[in-house]
Amino acid sequence: PLLRDESAPIGSPVFQSGQAAPTTETANTVTIIYSFSGTTPLEKQMSDATTILQTHTQAIIEDTRIITAESRG
């Protein structure tokens, strides 16, 4: 899938590490977890990711979603 924000496509943080690296000025982030085996594994992965972010970065989680091909319409 093509992921993009208002300004440009979003690439892989592996290849765009300079652009994707958070700094002390970072205010908003997005975490994307892909699943090729349905949505059930995603619920635990989202919960684990939320816990890690809140524990290590004091993040405030504003939204979590599971988006499927069916839900996109």
Side-chain angles (χ1 to χ4, degrees):
L2 173 65
L3 305 173
R4 64 175 295 119
D5 63 13
E6 294 81 25
S7 61
I10 300 169
S12 165
V14 172
F15 297 106
Q16 293 182 313
S17 59
Q19 294 170 317
T23 68
T24 56
E25 303 298 315
T26 301
N28 298 294
T29 65
V30 62
T31 301
I32 300 169
I33 303 170
Y34 292 97
S35 173
F36 299 98
S37 52
T39 59
T40 302
L42 289 178
E43 296 192 19
K44 177 161 179 12
Q45 291 172 339
M46 281 191 343
S47 175
D48 292 348
T50 297
T51 299
I52 290 168
L53 286 169
Q54 289 174 322
T55 300
H56 297 287
T57 68
Q58 292 74 49
I60 298 169
I61 308 301
E62 293 186 6
D63 188 22
T64 60
R65 302 177 202 195
I66 294 178
I67 300 171
T68 65
E70 294 80 24
S71 69
R72 287 186 11 204

